[in-house]
PDB file of all heavy atoms in Angstrom:
ATOM      1  N   VAL A 121      18.727 -58.623 -20.907  1.00 98.00           N
ATOM      2  CA  VAL A 121      19.004 -57.674 -21.969  1.00 98.00           C
ATOM      3  C   VAL A 121      17.816 -57.495 -22.913  1.00 98.00           C
ATOM      4  O   VAL A 121      17.657 -56.484 -23.572  1.00 98.00           O
ATOM      5  CB  VAL A 121      20.266 -58.132 -22.749  1.00 98.00           C
ATOM      6  CG1 VAL A 121      20.583 -57.201 -23.898  1.00 98.00           C
ATOM      7  CG2 VAL A 121      21.469 -58.250 -21.800  1.00 98.00           C
ATOM      8  N   THR A 122      16.961 -58.485 -22.958  1.00 97.00           N
ATOM      9  CA  THR A 122      15.831 -58.455 -23.912  1.00 97.00           C
ATOM     10  C   THR A 122      14.552 -57.929 -23.302  1.00 97.00           C
ATOM     11  O   THR A 122      13.545 -57.866 -23.968  1.00 97.00           O
ATOM     12  CB  THR A 122      15.513 -59.903 -24.397  1.00 97.00           C
ATOM     13  OG1 THR A 122      14.851 -60.631 -23.365  1.00 97.00           O
ATOM     14  CG2 THR A 122      16.759 -60.640 -24.800  1.00 97.00           C
ATOM     15  N   ARG A 123      14.628 -57.547 -22.033  1.00 93.00           N
ATOM     16  CA  ARG A 123      13.364 -57.541 -21.289  1.00 93.00           C
ATOM     17  C   ARG A 123      12.339 -56.477 -21.716  1.00 93.00           C
ATOM     18  O   ARG A 123      11.144 -56.698 -21.533  1.00 93.00           O
ATOM     19  CB  ARG A 123      13.653 -57.394 -19.806  1.00 93.00           C
ATOM     20  CG  ARG A 123      13.649 -56.021 -19.276  1.00 93.00           C
ATOM     21  CD  ARG A 123      13.818 -55.886 -17.838  1.00 93.00           C
ATOM     22  NE  ARG A 123      13.943 -54.441 -17.651  1.00 93.00           N
ATOM     23  CZ  ARG A 123      14.833 -53.833 -16.922  1.00 93.00           C
ATOM     24  NH1 ARG A 123      15.661 -54.552 -16.233  1.00 93.00           N
ATOM     25  NH2 ARG A 123      14.866 -52.555 -16.823  1.00 93.00           N
ATOM     26  N   CYS A 124      12.774 -55.394 -22.264  1.00 89.00           N
ATOM     27  CA  CYS A 124      11.774 -54.398 -22.648  1.00 89.00           C
ATOM     28  C   CYS A 124      11.529 -54.335 -24.142  1.00 89.00           C
ATOM     29  O   CYS A 124      10.979 -53.340 -24.653  1.00 89.00           O
ATOM     30  CB  CYS A 124      12.135 -53.044 -22.075  1.00 89.00           C
ATOM     31  SG  CYS A 124      11.813 -52.992 -20.303  1.00 89.00           S
ATOM     32  N   PHE A 125      11.903 -55.420 -24.788  1.00 96.00           N
ATOM     33  CA  PHE A 125      11.585 -55.469 -26.219  1.00 96.00           C
ATOM     34  C   PHE A 125      10.249 -56.200 -26.369  1.00 96.00           C
ATOM     35  O   PHE A 125       9.902 -57.095 -25.579  1.00 96.00           O
ATOM     36  CB  PHE A 125      12.636 -56.294 -26.969  1.00 96.00           C
ATOM     37  CG  PHE A 125      13.956 -55.566 -27.104  1.00 96.00           C
ATOM     38  CD1 PHE A 125      14.876 -55.535 -26.074  1.00 96.00           C
ATOM     39  CD2 PHE A 125      14.285 -54.907 -28.292  1.00 96.00           C
ATOM     40  CE1 PHE A 125      16.072 -54.883 -26.189  1.00 96.00           C
ATOM     41  CE2 PHE A 125      15.485 -54.243 -28.412  1.00 96.00           C
ATOM     42  CZ  PHE A 125      16.415 -54.205 -27.372  1.00 96.00           C
ATOM     43  N   SER A 126       9.479 -55.746 -27.320  1.00 95.00           N
ATOM     44  CA  SER A 126       8.198 -56.386 -27.551  1.00 95.00           C
ATOM     45  C   SER A 126       8.348 -57.708 -28.272  1.00 95.00           C
ATOM     46  O   SER A 126       7.780 -58.710 -27.921  1.00 95.00           O
ATOM     47  CB  SER A 126       7.321 -55.411 -28.364  1.00 95.00           C
ATOM     48  OG  SER A 126       6.114 -56.031 -28.702  1.00 95.00           O
ATOM     49  N   ARG A 127       9.125 -57.684 -29.366  1.00 97.00           N
ATOM     50  CA  ARG A 127       9.393 -58.913 -30.144  1.00 97.00           C
ATOM     51  C   ARG A 127      10.899 -58.991 -30.304  1.00 97.00           C
ATOM     52  O   ARG A 127      11.469 -58.624 -31.344  1.00 97.00           O
ATOM     53  CB  ARG A 127       8.723 -58.853 -31.517  1.00 97.00           C
ATOM     54  CG  ARG A 127       7.215 -58.798 -31.486  1.00 97.00           C
ATOM     55  CD  ARG A 127       6.615 -60.133 -31.041  1.00 97.00           C
ATOM     56  NE  ARG A 127       5.157 -60.139 -31.165  1.00 97.00           N
ATOM     57  CZ  ARG A 127       4.298 -59.796 -30.225  1.00 97.00           C
ATOM     58  NH1 ARG A 127       4.791 -59.383 -29.043  1.00 97.00           N
ATOM     59  NH2 ARG A 127       3.016 -59.829 -30.410  1.00 97.00           N
ATOM     60  N   PRO A 128      11.623 -59.427 -29.245  1.00 97.00           N
ATOM     61  CA  PRO A 128      13.078 -59.411 -29.323  1.00 97.00           C
ATOM     62  C   PRO A 128      13.686 -60.437 -30.297  1.00 97.00           C
ATOM     63  O   PRO A 128      13.401 -61.623 -30.137  1.00 97.00           O
ATOM     64  CB  PRO A 128      13.507 -59.681 -27.892  1.00 97.00           C
ATOM     65  CG  PRO A 128      12.352 -60.368 -27.250  1.00 97.00           C
ATOM     66  CD  PRO A 128      11.106 -59.957 -27.976  1.00 97.00           C
ATOM     67  N   CYS A 129      14.405 -59.953 -31.268  1.00 98.00           N
ATOM     68  CA  CYS A 129      15.224 -60.825 -32.118  1.00 98.00           C
ATOM     69  C   CYS A 129      16.584 -60.961 -31.399  1.00 98.00           C
ATOM     70  O   CYS A 129      17.183 -59.915 -31.064  1.00 98.00           O
ATOM     71  CB  CYS A 129      15.411 -60.241 -33.491  1.00 98.00           C
ATOM     72  SG  CYS A 129      13.844 -59.958 -34.333  1.00 98.00           S
ATOM     73  N   VAL A 244      20.472 -57.956 -29.685  1.00 98.00           N
ATOM     74  CA  VAL A 244      19.008 -57.911 -29.588  1.00 98.00           C
ATOM     75  C   VAL A 244      18.487 -56.700 -30.368  1.00 98.00           C
ATOM     76  O   VAL A 244      19.042 -55.604 -30.226  1.00 98.00           O
ATOM     77  CB  VAL A 244      18.535 -57.758 -28.120  1.00 98.00           C
ATOM     78  CG1 VAL A 244      17.017 -57.962 -28.019  1.00 98.00           C
ATOM     79  CG2 VAL A 244      19.258 -58.709 -27.171  1.00 98.00           C
ATOM     80  N   TYR A 245      17.484 -56.934 -31.214  1.00 98.00           N
ATOM     81  CA  TYR A 245      16.821 -55.785 -31.815  1.00 98.00           C
ATOM     82  C   TYR A 245      15.309 -56.002 -31.806  1.00 98.00           C
ATOM     83  O   TYR A 245      14.845 -57.153 -31.656  1.00 98.00           O
ATOM     84  CB  TYR A 245      17.356 -55.486 -33.240  1.00 98.00           C
ATOM     85  CG  TYR A 245      16.948 -56.439 -34.331  1.00 98.00           C
ATOM     86  CD1 TYR A 245      15.747 -56.313 -35.019  1.00 98.00           C
ATOM     87  CD2 TYR A 245      17.756 -57.517 -34.649  1.00 98.00           C
ATOM     88  CE1 TYR A 245      15.388 -57.177 -36.062  1.00 98.00           C
ATOM     89  CE2 TYR A 245      17.398 -58.405 -35.644  1.00 98.00           C
ATOM     90  CZ  TYR A 245      16.230 -58.260 -36.350  1.00 98.00           C
ATOM     91  OH  TYR A 245      15.868 -59.134 -37.322  1.00 98.00           O
ATOM     92  N   GLU A 246      14.598 -54.927 -31.942  1.00 97.00           N
ATOM     93  CA  GLU A 246      13.156 -54.991 -31.863  1.00 97.00           C
ATOM     94  C   GLU A 246      12.589 -55.497 -33.191  1.00 97.00           C
ATOM     95  O   GLU A 246      12.855 -54.939 -34.249  1.00 97.00           O
ATOM     96  CB  GLU A 246      12.612 -53.602 -31.571  1.00 97.00           C
ATOM     97  CG  GLU A 246      11.117 -53.506 -31.512  1.00 97.00           C
ATOM     98  CD  GLU A 246      10.503 -54.547 -30.570  1.00 97.00           C
ATOM     99  OE1 GLU A 246      10.802 -54.524 -29.358  1.00 97.00           O
ATOM    100  OE2 GLU A 246       9.726 -55.413 -31.050  1.00 97.00           O
ATOM    101  N   GLY A 247      11.810 -56.616 -33.106  1.00 97.00           N
ATOM    102  CA  GLY A 247      11.270 -57.217 -34.324  1.00 97.00           C
ATOM    103  C   GLY A 247      10.212 -56.361 -34.994  1.00 97.00           C
ATOM    104  O   GLY A 247      10.043 -56.396 -36.188  1.00 97.00           O
ATOM    105  N   THR A 262       3.968 -50.976 -30.078  1.00 40.00           N
ATOM    106  CA  THR A 262       5.259 -51.603 -29.948  1.00 40.00           C
ATOM    107  C   THR A 262       5.863 -51.515 -28.559  1.00 40.00           C
ATOM    108  O   THR A 262       6.679 -52.257 -28.210  1.00 40.00           O
ATOM    109  CB  THR A 262       6.265 -50.969 -30.940  1.00 40.00           C
ATOM    110  OG1 THR A 262       6.288 -49.574 -30.646  1.00 40.00           O
ATOM    111  CG2 THR A 262       5.849 -51.149 -32.376  1.00 40.00           C
ATOM    112  N   ALA A 267       4.876 -55.476 -22.626  1.00 41.00           N
ATOM    113  CA  ALA A 267       5.864 -56.103 -23.526  1.00 41.00           C
ATOM    114  C   ALA A 267       6.832 -57.037 -22.797  1.00 41.00           C
ATOM    115  O   ALA A 267       7.175 -58.093 -23.304  1.00 41.00           O
ATOM    116  CB  ALA A 267       6.645 -55.027 -24.200  1.00 41.00           C
ATOM    117  N   CYS A 268       7.201 -56.670 -21.599  1.00 45.00           N
ATOM    118  CA  CYS A 268       8.224 -57.456 -20.895  1.00 45.00           C
ATOM    119  C   CYS A 268       7.767 -58.882 -20.660  1.00 45.00           C
ATOM    120  O   CYS A 268       8.569 -59.774 -20.552  1.00 45.00           O
ATOM    121  CB  CYS A 268       8.569 -56.796 -19.589  1.00 45.00           C
ATOM    122  SG  CYS A 268       9.199 -55.146 -19.813  1.00 45.00           S
ATOM    123  N   ASN A 271       6.693 -61.147 -24.465  1.00 52.00           N
ATOM    124  CA  ASN A 271       7.549 -61.238 -25.627  1.00 52.00           C
ATOM    125  C   ASN A 271       7.930 -62.674 -26.027  1.00 52.00           C
ATOM    126  O   ASN A 271       8.633 -62.878 -26.975  1.00 52.00           O
ATOM    127  CB  ASN A 271       8.779 -60.377 -25.478  1.00 52.00           C
ATOM    128  CG  ASN A 271       9.660 -60.812 -24.350  1.00 52.00           C
ATOM    129  OD1 ASN A 271       9.470 -61.898 -23.809  1.00 52.00           O
ATOM    130  ND2 ASN A 271      10.619 -60.001 -23.963  1.00 52.00           N
ATOM    131  N   LYS A 320      14.017 -48.587 -21.951  1.00 44.00           N
ATOM    132  CA  LYS A 320      13.221 -48.247 -23.111  1.00 44.00           C
ATOM    133  C   LYS A 320      13.385 -46.768 -23.472  1.00 44.00           C
ATOM    134  O   LYS A 320      13.543 -46.396 -24.618  1.00 44.00           O
ATOM    135  CB  LYS A 320      11.740 -48.539 -22.830  1.00 44.00           C
ATOM    136  CG  LYS A 320      10.886 -48.593 -24.091  1.00 44.00           C
ATOM    137  CD  LYS A 320      11.086 -49.860 -24.796  1.00 44.00           C
ATOM    138  CE  LYS A 320      10.930 -49.680 -26.308  1.00 44.00           C
ATOM    139  NZ  LYS A 320      11.309 -50.891 -26.990  1.00 44.00           N
ATOM    140  N   ARG A 323      16.676 -46.163 -25.072  1.00 47.00           N
ATOM    141  CA  ARG A 323      16.725 -46.620 -26.454  1.00 47.00           C
ATOM    142  C   ARG A 323      16.014 -45.645 -27.375  1.00 47.00           C
ATOM    143  O   ARG A 323      16.471 -45.323 -28.441  1.00 47.00           O
ATOM    144  CB  ARG A 323      16.135 -48.019 -26.579  1.00 47.00           C
ATOM    145  CG  ARG A 323      17.161 -49.093 -26.412  1.00 47.00           C
ATOM    146  CD  ARG A 323      16.705 -50.352 -27.087  1.00 47.00           C
ATOM    147  NE  ARG A 323      15.381 -50.728 -26.635  1.00 47.00           N
ATOM    148  CZ  ARG A 323      15.159 -51.411 -25.544  1.00 47.00           C
ATOM    149  NH1 ARG A 323      16.157 -51.784 -24.785  1.00 47.00           N
ATOM    150  NH2 ARG A 323      13.940 -51.711 -25.160  1.00 47.00           N
ATOM    151  N   ASP A 329      16.433 -49.347 -31.471  1.00 87.00           N
ATOM    152  CA  ASP A 329      15.939 -50.449 -30.641  1.00 87.00           C
ATOM    153  C   ASP A 329      16.920 -51.604 -30.764  1.00 87.00           C
ATOM    154  O   ASP A 329      16.562 -52.687 -31.196  1.00 87.00           O
ATOM    155  CB  ASP A 329      14.550 -50.863 -31.111  1.00 87.00           C
ATOM    156  CG  ASP A 329      13.509 -49.903 -30.582  1.00 87.00           C
ATOM    157  OD1 ASP A 329      13.819 -49.145 -29.649  1.00 87.00           O
ATOM    158  OD2 ASP A 329      12.392 -49.891 -31.103  1.00 87.00           O
ATOM    159  N   VAL A 330      18.141 -51.381 -30.366  1.00 97.00           N
ATOM    160  CA  VAL A 330      19.170 -52.410 -30.495  1.00 97.00           C
ATOM    161  C   VAL A 330      20.059 -52.445 -29.257  1.00 97.00           C
ATOM    162  O   VAL A 330      20.392 -51.423 -28.683  1.00 97.00           O
ATOM    163  CB  VAL A 330      20.068 -52.140 -31.731  1.00 97.00           C
ATOM    164  CG1 VAL A 330      21.259 -53.071 -31.784  1.00 97.00           C
ATOM    165  CG2 VAL A 330      19.267 -52.292 -33.037  1.00 97.00           C
ATOM    166  N   GLU A 331      20.397 -53.666 -28.824  1.00 98.00           N
ATOM    167  CA  GLU A 331      21.376 -53.837 -27.760  1.00 98.00           C
ATOM    168  C   GLU A 331      22.437 -54.825 -28.262  1.00 98.00           C
ATOM    169  O   GLU A 331      22.123 -55.777 -28.956  1.00 98.00           O
ATOM    170  CB  GLU A 331      20.727 -54.493 -26.524  1.00 98.00           C
ATOM    171  CG  GLU A 331      19.806 -53.615 -25.728  1.00 98.00           C
ATOM    172  CD  GLU A 331      20.529 -52.691 -24.793  1.00 98.00           C
ATOM    173  OE1 GLU A 331      21.777 -52.519 -24.909  1.00 98.00           O
ATOM    174  OE2 GLU A 331      19.845 -52.037 -23.962  1.00 98.00           O
TER     175      GLU A 331
END
Side-chain angles (χ1 to χ4, degrees):
V121 178
T122 74
R123 94 175 173 226
C124 285
F125 288 81
S126 175
R127 296 289 187 269
C129 300
V244 190
Y245 72 88
E246 179 52 62
T262 58
C268 302
N271 63 12
K320 195 77 212 173
R323 270 204 307 276
D329 281 343
V330 171
E331 288 280 12

